[in-house]
Amino acid sequence: MSHAMLLDCTLRDGAYLVEKEFGENNIYGIIDGLVKARVDCIEIGFLENGGGRKGKTVFKNSEDAKRVIPKDKQGILFCVLADYSRYSIELLDKHTDDGIDAVRECFFKKERYDAIKYCENIKNLGYKCFVQPVDILGYSDMELIDFIQKVNEIEPYCFSIVDTFGSMFQEDLHRIFEIINHNLVPTCKIGFHSHNNMQLSNALSQEFIRMAYGKREIIVDGTISGMGRGAGNTPTELVAQYMVSKLGYNYDMDAILDIIDEYMDNIKSRCSWGYSTSYFVAGCYSAHVNNVQYLTKKNSIKSKDIRYILNKIDPCQRKRYDYGLLEKTYVEYLKSDINDSEETKYLLKYTDEKDLLLMAPGNSINLEKEEINDYIADKRPVIINVNFIHDEIRPDFLYFSNIKRYKYWKKDERFDEYNKIIISNIKQNAESEKEHIIAFNKLVKCGWNNLDNSMILLLRLVDQLNVKSIAIAGLDGFNYENGDSTNYLSRDMEVSYIRDDFMNVNAEITAMLEDYKKNRKKKVKIEFITKSRFADIFL
């Protein structure tokens, strides 16, 4: 018997990225491809109380799951994952040969002893049972040994090493494997499920196969193209190729490549995953990827800031995600006690009873130059450029509250020529008389993911001044057509959002502008002089 088995969990772990809705044709196609590839185990999705519907990889029980399981399984093990806190084991029906073969029960450390009872029920119903403790690095050696002794009493099919936060190094894997292998009942396989936060998933999976040889039968998890939240998972194709090339396994690599060509490229148009510096930081601190995804949307954030904020949060709390706590920690990190009264007086005097033109870096700045120039010629406004330098229109001030834009434009040879309004989330001390630092904490308002949106912060600052009118150009809103769109006046400023991200940001900016309109102190006239999806708000 082969000592290693390959389990593909694309339809389960990858499902988080598509709200568990792959689409019926994709589900059947991926399963058919994996069967042709002769992988040993296919995880087809989740068990959940409400069950699912066609197109989703969510099932109420084995009978529900039969609709996607082929009549001829060809010796392949079909399994599902049940989350202890999200599935009532009473809903699970008895095993039949034409249904699910195995159930993988996952749970947090605090749930482990109660979850064992679920595992026993799963086995009693005739299924092969996988014990899947979330975040195995969160167990001390003694806790792990004690838990394994409880697991041995039910003799499950497999006990898995789950590197939930992609935090493992090779030494960690060796230590945990040896503890488990030494203490686990010999009839039980050991599994390995890894995340790629530190670009080590494939290497660790190969090392797991090598280190277990002659010691234990094992199961290695992977997903096609590494599909999974954040940095993703061990790519099935890489592990399969290693097992074919070095160990003589007979997986059909052409069938796996066909899955990638026929299904994964299309799925990638709807969502994204893969290594990034931010996910590396999440791995360093064993933090849930949702924490990083939330923080990376902030305009004022740097990778080292994410590292600092995660380090400020309790280790247990950062393994889950509490957006309220993150927001509080983020704002506290950025708040400053700077006294900006003199700078505010300066801006009051400079803009007193004058028309203002606030220019955001949207593509309409390029498309509607004539309208902008006509307005400038007619009104002679005070011009404030938001996070950019224009090649033709010279502003009175450059305004920066986005650290990435600030660092980009600071390298421009024209940067030092201009007066600048800089929010204190970027810097707290002026380096020249041309820099006017304004306190971040008096402009920010919590309650939104994009609470530090640059234009919103600037409008709140302007609300403290005594201006005659406000004109806005370049605040276009995000557009997304056929996966390719120009949203900024320069390609260098584009951001890599997917369609849903753009739609969510547009909706949130709309809500923030409406809140600003409702709560502003001075009801001066506001008009958009370039086309914008937000223009109707101020009509």
Side-chain angles (χ1 to χ4, degrees):
M1 181 182 288
S2 300
H3 91 284
M5 298 169 66
L6 177 59
L7 184 151
D8 183 89
C9 52
T10 306
L11 293 171
R12 198 275 304 169
D13 215 342
Y16 292 110
L17 294 174
V18 291
E19 297 182 351
K20 302 174 184 174
E21 191 155 2
F22 280 90
E24 203 77 349
N25 290 342
N26 285 339
I27 294 170
Y28 289 132
I30 291 169
I31 290 174
D32 183 61
L34 291 170
V35 171
K36 289 176 180 175
R38 297 186 291 276
V39 301
D40 304 285
C41 312
I42 302 173
E43 189 172 50
I44 57 173
F46 301 84
L47 289 179
E48 290 187 3
N49 289 345
R53 55 181 174 80
K54 285 188 175 182
K56 298 193 77 167
T57 53
V58 176
F59 312 99
K60 184 175 182 179
N61 50 31
S62 184
E63 184 66 31
D64 190 16
K66 286 179 184 179
R67 61 185 171 81
V68 302
I69 298 174
K71 287 184 169 51
D72 182 5
K73 295 182 181 178
Q74 300 186 33
I76 292 171
L77 198 73
F78 282 82
C79 61
V80 289
L81 183 129
D83 187 325
Y84 173 76
S85 62
R86 292 186 174 93
Y87 183 68
S88 301
I89 204 67
E90 296 80 12
L91 297 175
L92 186 60
D93 42 3
K94 288 186 178 180
H95 169 261
T96 58
D97 290 340
D98 58 346
I100 297 164
D101 301 298
V103 177
R104 307 217 291 177
E105 182 72 18
C106 77
F107 47 88
F108 288 98
K109 188 168 78 170
K110 65 182 181 181
E111 302 168 332
R112 63 190 184 277
Y113 295 119
D114 291 328
I116 284 290
K117 298 172 186 176
Y118 270 35
C119 293
E120 187 174 12
N121 288 341
I122 289 166
K123 188 175 177 183
N124 289 339
L125 286 167
Y127 298 94
K128 292 177 170 63
C129 179
F130 287 65
V131 179
Q132 303 276 125
V134 171
D135 182 29
I136 205 158
L137 280 180
Y139 288 71
S140 69
D141 291 358
M142 290 305 299
E143 286 173 332
L144 189 54
I145 292 168
D146 174 71
F147 182 55
I148 290 170
Q149 289 173 349
K150 301 292 184 185
V151 169
N152 287 340
E153 295 175 9
I154 63 169
E155 286 194 70
Y157 181 75
C158 181
F159 182 94
S160 293
I161 298 170
V162 183
D163 183 18
T164 303
F165 304 109
S167 305
M168 271 191 180
F169 291 101
Q170 191 175 96
E171 294 83 357
D172 301 312
L173 180 60
H174 276 268
R175 175 179 62 83
I176 290 172
F177 175 81
E178 292 302 335
I179 290 172
I180 296 173
N181 185 52
H182 182 73
N183 291 280
L184 187 66
V185 62
T187 54
C188 184
K189 295 174 174 60
I190 298 178
F192 182 55
H193 182 92
S194 177
H195 293 101
N196 203 30
N197 294 58
M198 296 197 289
Q199 292 273 55
L200 291 174
S201 271
N202 181 42
L204 288 172
S205 296
Q206 291 184 25
E207 180 65 12
F208 178 65
I209 295 169
R210 286 192 293 269
M211 67 191 288
Y213 187 79
K215 297 180 179 180
R216 178 78 61 159
E217 291 184 0
I218 60 171
I219 300 175
V220 186
D221 288 11
T223 60
I224 299 296
S225 299
M227 184 181 183
R229 280 187 296 194
N233 296 57
T234 307
T236 295
E237 61 273 17
L238 297 188
V239 180
Q241 180 62 29
Y242 170 75
M243 295 171 74
V244 168
S245 299
K246 298 297 182 181
L247 303 174
Y249 284 72
N250 70 337
Y251 304 121
D252 187 333
M253 295 306 302
D254 287 339
I256 294 176
L257 292 174
D258 283 342
I259 298 172
I260 295 172
D261 288 341
E262 294 170 18
Y263 301 101
M264 302 311 293
D265 288 343
N266 175 263
I267 290 170
K268 281 185 175 180
S269 70
R270 291 192 276 154
C271 56
S272 61
W273 64 89
Y275 173 81
S276 72
T277 304
S278 299
Y279 294 131
F280 153 66
V281 173
C284 290
Y285 287 98
S286 295
H288 197 289
V289 295
N290 285 13
N291 293 313
V292 175
Q293 289 171 341
Y294 176 86
L295 289 171
T296 51
K297 292 177 181 177
K298 305 304 179 189
N299 289 325
S300 309
I301 210 80
K302 294 178 286 187
S303 294
K304 66 180 182 181
D305 297 331
I306 295 174
R307 181 173 178 269
Y308 176 87
I309 291 166
L310 291 178
N311 194 39
K312 291 281 286 183
I313 296 173
D314 179 86
C316 292
Q317 290 176 310
R318 64 181 177 239
K319 289 179 180 180
R320 299 297 281 169
Y321 47 95
D322 180 341
Y323 295 142
L325 176 62
L326 276 177
E327 185 174 287
K328 178 183 176 184
T329 308
Y330 168 72
V331 171
E332 285 177 352
Y333 174 62
L334 292 179
K335 277 184 177 179
S336 63
D337 294 325
I338 70 164
N339 184 344
D340 64 0
S341 57
E342 291 301 315
E343 303 298 347
T344 303
K345 287 179 184 176
Y346 170 80
L347 293 175
L348 270 165
K349 183 177 179 180
Y350 195 100
T351 62
D352 188 48
E353 286 297 325
K354 293 180 181 176
D355 298 302
L356 247 59
L357 172 57
L358 311 182
M359 292 189 26
N363 192 39
S364 64
I365 297 292
N366 290 328
L367 302 177
E368 301 178 57
K369 289 181 185 177
E370 186 175 340
E371 289 83 353
I372 295 170
N373 286 326
D374 287 346
Y375 180 86
I376 293 172
D378 180 44
K379 295 285 189 177
R380 302 291 179 185
V382 173
I383 302 172
I384 302 176
N385 283 8
V386 180
N387 294 324
F388 79 104
I389 297 174
H390 196 273
D391 289 336
E392 300 174 20
I393 301 172
R394 185 177 180 87
D396 295 87
F397 294 96
L398 300 178
Y399 163 91
F400 290 100
S401 67
N402 183 319
I403 185 65
K404 294 171 186 175
R405 302 295 191 212
Y406 174 79
K407 295 183 80 171
Y408 175 86
W409 289 106
K410 191 174 183 182
K411 297 180 178 69
D412 192 287
E413 61 184 9
R414 299 165 292 176
F415 184 82
D416 291 335
E417 299 174 15
Y418 297 102
N419 280 317
K420 288 169 281 289
I421 300 169
I422 301 173
I423 307 305
S424 65
N425 59 317
I426 293 179
K427 60 191 299 187
Q428 297 185 14
N429 298 302
E431 296 176 15
S432 76
E433 62 181 14
K434 290 187 175 182
E435 292 186 346
H436 307 281
I437 312 297
I438 302 297
F440 173 81
N441 61 347
K442 73 178 186 180
L443 304 179
V444 71
K445 184 175 181 179
C446 296
W448 291 282
N449 290 333
N450 297 279
L451 56 86
D452 57 354
N453 176 275
S454 296
M455 181 60 83
I456 302 296
L457 295 183
L458 178 55
L459 284 169
R460 292 189 187 130
L461 171 59
V462 170
D463 195 40
Q464 300 174 27
L465 307 179
N466 187 34
V467 302
K468 184 178 179 183
S469 70
I470 301 169
I472 298 175
L475 186 64
D476 306 344
F478 288 107
N479 183 40
Y480 189 96
E481 298 293 339
N482 301 319
D484 181 32
S485 184
T486 301
N487 284 298
Y488 289 88
L489 60 86
S490 166
R491 278 287 183 184
D492 290 344
M493 301 182 77
E494 294 292 344
V495 291
S496 56
Y497 283 163
I498 61 174
R499 182 182 181 87
D500 286 349
D501 289 330
F502 282 128
M503 293 171 66
N504 290 337
V505 173
N506 284 336
E508 190 163 75
I509 292 174
T510 298
M512 294 170 79
L513 285 170
E514 288 173 343
D515 177 80
Y516 163 76
K517 179 183 177 181
K518 177 181 177 182
N519 294 296
R520 61 185 177 143
K521 299 172 185 175
K522 299 177 181 176
K523 311 296 184 181
V524 299
K525 178 184 176 183
I526 296 179
E527 64 177 317
F528 285 76
I529 60 171
T530 58
K531 291 179 181 177
S532 169
R533 64 177 64 241
F534 311 118
D536 290 347
I537 294 171
F538 294 101
L539 292 180

